[in-house]
Amino acid sequence: MSERETWATRAGFILAAVGSAVGLGNIWQFPFKTAQFGGSSFLLVYLVAVLGIGLPAILAEFVIGRKAKLNTIDAFEELGYRNWRIVGVLGLATGFWILSYYSVVGGWVLRYIAGSVTGAYFADPAAYFGQISMGVDALALHAVFMALVIGIVALGIEDGIEKATKLMVPSIIVILIALAVWAFTLPGASEGYTYFLSPNFGALAANFGEIVPFAVGQAFFSLSLGMGAMITYASYIDGDESLFGDSLTIVVLNTFVGVLAGLVVLPLLFAQGIDPNTSGAGAVFVSVATAFAELPAGNALGFFFFVVVLIAALSSAISLLEVVVSWAVDNTSYSRPVIATGLGGVIFALGIPSAWDTAWLTWFDTLAYQLLLPTSVLGILIFVGWVYGRPALAELLKGSTANEGLGLTWLWTARTVVIAGVLGTLLLGFQTLFVDGAIVPPF
Ligand code: TRP
């Protein structure tokens, strides 16, 4: 076997991980849910979830990956626990599953970039979404998006993912800041800020039972946890650096981009008098497109906005494909480009139902969110906390100036609070799946 690839620089690793984390979750989900669930008072709950549950969990994945320096399945065997490979297998399967529909949404975004330039959605944004989101159109763009993802992953860690994300992550931040400044100048923008950020403890208290699991689930999804993406990225780390420091940077940047997206979208909608309280897979596309259609420089602004969304989606999608590609690169003698194309092709095929009908997309997403992700996060945490234990602590402290006490706090938080949080989320998911019947496929 040829020598395993590594990141060229520490910043390269951090940016790739941020690129994985910052995605559709930050730009679509996060601003709207924050506004709906109590603004800055929800932000507080989310920060607690991210720091108390997301941070320990991301550290757990980093520890496994950096120690084993192998893909998410073989890593468990390398650490001496062959049977725990099942957790890696689940992660790999989840990767196939999520990327299949994530790529369909990526295809919609491609379509909206073109539509901004030509003004195709300006006349009737709702009808436009209906047209492009399902059927042959959606399928074709799903293929294009998947081809872009395959192209980057085929180039490898240093020349593909690292180079791409080094360019992508700063671009996301710069363009979003520029758009946020522009949104600030819109008449009526202040109502958007009020809606987005003013504390609303009433809304928070009234929906607490729904909000807490959402905050935890969002922390996991947004930080790309639970399917070995962070295990895989950490496996390419060369040398020892402070995993505490790296994780904190990643978590902070990820939250920052979510807030920034809110500072663009909500003033925009309020300035145009559009109700942000919409639901459904396409509602956000429609409401944002409506705002651009009514603005003087709508073509250019829509173009930049959807370009940001595309970059964010791409840099996340490559991490999803890399999880499965990494496994095949470690275990077969095929070249990386052949593997990326083959596996990408299989994932494309799995996405065909979602491209054909958004009811399938919603079903895939619900199962991923409520069942697959929490189950594999739970597996990873039980493994690191209770099975691997002490050696995990030693690995965490390598390259770090943190003392043993901080490490022990991490280990015990992971063992108790974090596992309890995931279990709670999983149980609430069962309610949706089995009682409300979401598990039934939409045939
Ligand atoms: N974090 C990404 C987002 O917010 C999605 C994502 C990429 C992901 N890789 C993942 C989610 C791995 C779970 C697991 O859009």
Side-chain angles (χ1 to χ4, degrees), residues 31-111:
F32 293 92
K33 288 291 178 186
T34 301
Q36 196 186 326
F37 283 158
S40 51
S41 38
F42 169 76
L43 220 48
L44 227 67
V45 176
Y46 179 72
L47 282 179
V48 172
V50 158
L51 293 175
I53 298 193
L55 189 65
I58 203 172
L59 282 170
E61 290 208 18
F62 282 169
V63 161
I64 299 180
R66 188 179 69 178
K67 176 81 189 170
K69 300 218 173 354
L70 276 176
N71 65 81
T72 187
I73 295 183
D74 299 316
F76 291 91
E77 179 164 9
E78 177 71 19
L79 300 183
Y81 297 89
R82 203 180 142 78
N83 290 338
W84 282 84
R85 283 181 313 168
I86 183 76
V87 174
V89 173
L90 181 62
L92 210 75
T94 310
F96 269 92
W97 189 268
I98 294 183
L99 183 52
S100 77
Y101 69 87
Y102 205 86
S103 166
V104 173
V105 180
W108 298 350
V109 179
L110 278 170
R111 194 59 194 252

Side-chain angles (χ1 to χ4, degrees), residues 90-104 139 142-143 146 320-321 324 341-357 359-365 367-368 372 443:
L90 181 62
L92 210 75
T94 310
F96 269 92
W97 189 268
I98 294 183
L99 183 52
S100 77
Y101 69 87
Y102 205 86
S103 166
V104 173
L139 203 57
H142 166 44
M146 206 58 215
L320 290 160
L321 184 58
V324 292
T341 310
L343 292 175
V346 174
I347 294 172
F348 167 77
L350 186 63
I352 292 176
S354 299
W356 208 252
D357 188 338
W360 279 102
L361 193 147
T362 307
W363 182 74
F364 268 80
D365 185 47
L367 254 64
L372 299 174
F443 277 113

Side-chain angles (χ1 to χ4, degrees), residues 10 13-14 62 241-251:
R10 177 175 181 186
F13 161 66
I14 295 177
F62 282 169
E241 53 203 50
S242 166
L243 292 179
F244 271 118
D246 288 6
S247 315
L248 212 56
T249 311
I250 294 162
V251 164

Side-chain angles (χ1 to χ4, degrees), residues 19-26 98 102 218 220-227 229 254 312 316-317 319-320 373:
S20 169
V22 170
L24 296 169
N26 302 60
I98 294 183
Y102 205 86
Q218 178 69 11
F220 287 142
F221 188 83
S222 191
L223 289 171
S224 299
L225 295 171
M227 48 153 287
N254 185 49
S316 298
S319 74
L320 290 160
L373 282 176

Side-chain angles (χ1 to χ4, degrees), residues 27-28 31-32 183 260-270 284 288 305:
I27 301 184
W28 293 129
F32 293 92
L260 207 50
L263 295 180
V264 175
V265 178
L266 292 159
L268 172 72
L269 295 185
F270 272 87
V284 192
V288 172
F305 180 78

